[in-house]
Amino acid sequence: MMAVLPWVLRRQRYDILHATEESVFLALLVKKLKGVPYVYDMDSSLVHQMTDKYPFLSRLYPLMAWFEGQAVRHSDGVLAVCRALEELALRYAPYQRVVRLEDASLLGGDHEQGIDLRERFG
């Protein structure tokens, strides 16, 4: 993605970027260089994911958490998929706009439990 990004940005002007997972750091770079805002779709904590999978990285936890916090602080909003990520984003940036959009099951079931986003957010 990083190799293609400069080419894409030269061909098209974007009003906002939707950044998921580690692409949030590319979006942060684009915001710093081009002023294009981004929304961070926080599907997991990259820091927790990395240190859980590679325990030897736990020594770098503070540095990685700082980077993750920067991604949250400089975003124009965070979409969190669960309460834990919503709370984590707010710990990084208490002033940040954070919306929790919990994952919807694709297994069927009662559709009445779904949230009408237009109704909820106008």
Side-chain angles (χ1 to χ4, degrees):
M1 285 176 42
M2 189 173 220
V4 175
L5 185 62
W7 179 78
V8 170
L9 290 173
R10 278 194 302 271
R11 291 183 45 118
Q12 182 73 34
R13 185 185 181 300
Y14 294 94
D15 295 323
I16 193 163
L17 299 176
H18 175 221
T20 59
E21 299 292 340
E22 60 275 354
S23 73
V24 73
F25 300 110
L26 293 175
L28 176 57
L29 180 64
V30 170
K31 182 173 185 174
K32 295 288 185 183
L33 296 176
K34 299 272 191 178
V36 179
Y38 66 93
V39 172
Y40 183 7
D41 192 338
M42 195 175 200
D43 202 38
S44 66
S45 167
L46 295 172
V47 177
H48 293 125
Q49 203 173 44
M50 295 289 290
T51 55
D52 286 349
K53 187 168 185 174
Y54 306 106
F56 67 89
L57 289 176
S58 60
R59 293 185 304 249
L60 299 175
Y61 186 94
L63 178 64
M64 292 189 305
W66 182 84
F67 277 108
E68 188 171 64
Q70 290 297 306
V72 170
R73 282 188 283 281
H74 292 283
S75 73
D76 282 52
V78 176
L79 302 173
V81 298
C82 66
R83 182 178 304 271
L85 290 173
E86 177 184 23
E87 292 170 357
L88 177 63
L90 289 170
R91 279 196 304 272
Y92 284 135
Y95 57 85
Q96 187 56 273
R97 286 177 280 192
V98 179
V99 175
R100 182 171 19 125
L101 295 174
E102 295 192 20
D103 286 340
S105 173
L106 299 176
L107 301 175
D110 186 29
H111 296 290
E112 295 300 316
Q113 293 178 356
I115 298 171
D116 184 343
L117 295 177
R118 286 189 183 101
E119 182 179 310
R120 182 172 175 191
F121 298 106

